[in-house]
Amino acid sequence: MNVAMNSCPELNTQRLLLRPFMLSDAGDVQRLAGDCRIADMTQNVPHPYEDGAAECWISGHALQFATGNSVTFAIVLQASGELVGCIGLRIKRDFDNAELGYWIGCPYWGQGYCTEAGEAVIEYAFTELGMNRIHATHFSRNQASGRVMEKLGMQMEGMLRQHVKKCGQYEDVVVRGLLRG
């Protein structure tokens, strides 16, 4: 693990490099996250993914990290340098907790990349950031994301019925959490 005080660290796993996004990633972000299947299963990814949106999103990461509000990693294959997705934490320092969020590009689904990246980010959150609790949410119909969270050791804590409105439809949101202890 390569941790600097003022910059987002890089984390290595068996197959992945988790690193800060670079503006040169914007085209891949727009292509991968712009797939309607990604937007359909996430609360925060827009569709269509407009030109310039990826650059704007990436440009905000350094300040969010520097202020301690979040850390966002590009998920990259070590072997090829190919961007496959995103994972990050929204940090609440006052409560020593963080919300885990992620997306994986559709061509890379079902290969365990999200679980592998999640393990590294959770370890980082507990050991380097001193978090006590990590939580995450997923739409109840997104069973694949629920399975990732289960593999990460997150326990179901509840369901928020019709909690969000996405594309004109109300969505039930499952809440899962993991404690450091």
Side-chain angles (χ1 to χ4, degrees):
M1 190 177 320
N2 176 14
V3 180
M5 293 300 278
N6 295 326
S7 63
C8 180
E10 290 185 353
L11 309 176
N12 289 285
T13 71
Q14 183 177 353
R15 301 178 295 166
L16 305 172
L17 168 65
L18 307 182
R19 61 158 172 79
F21 276 93
M22 300 177 285
L23 284 176
S24 60
D25 295 321
D28 289 332
V29 169
Q30 184 176 13
R31 178 178 52 82
L32 293 171
D35 188 307
C36 64
R37 294 170 290 180
I38 299 296
D40 183 50
M41 292 294 178
T42 61
Q43 292 183 44
N44 300 316
V45 175
H47 187 76
Y49 207 107
E50 301 290 338
D51 289 345
E55 289 86 351
C56 183
W57 176 70
I58 291 167
S59 294
H61 291 173
L63 179 60
Q64 289 297 311
F65 183 78
T67 57
N69 293 319
S70 70
V71 58
T72 306
F73 296 98
I75 304 172
V76 176
L77 299 180
Q78 282 192 17
S80 66
E82 193 173 352
L83 178 73
V84 301
C86 171
I87 192 164
L89 297 165
R90 286 191 206 148
I91 301 163
K92 300 258 187 194
R93 285 273 177 212
D94 291 347
F95 303 111
D96 292 334
N97 73 47
E99 181 178 9
L100 179 70
Y102 49 79
W103 58 262
I104 299 292
C106 298
Y108 308 100
W109 286 0
Q111 299 179 51
Y113 296 138
C114 198
T115 302
E116 188 173 329
E119 289 170 346
V121 170
I122 288 171
E123 175 69 16
Y124 168 75
F126 287 147
T127 61
E128 299 296 324
L129 298 179
M131 295 292 108
N132 181 61
R133 180 176 187 278
I134 306 297
H135 63 279
T137 62
H138 64 88
F139 293 151
S140 60
R141 63 185 170 84
N142 189 349
Q143 296 176 0
S145 191
R147 282 192 302 277
V148 167
M149 292 176 198
E150 288 172 2
K151 290 176 189 175
L152 294 173
M154 296 182 137
Q155 297 180 6
M156 184 170 168
E157 297 179 339
M159 180 172 319
L160 305 172
R161 297 178 307 139
Q162 297 185 6
H163 187 65
V164 298
K165 190 174 184 180
K166 179 84 180 195
C167 299
Q169 299 293 316
Y170 292 104
E171 295 277 357
D172 293 343
V173 175
V174 176
V175 179
R176 297 181 186 267
L178 177 66
L179 300 177
R180 179 174 41 201

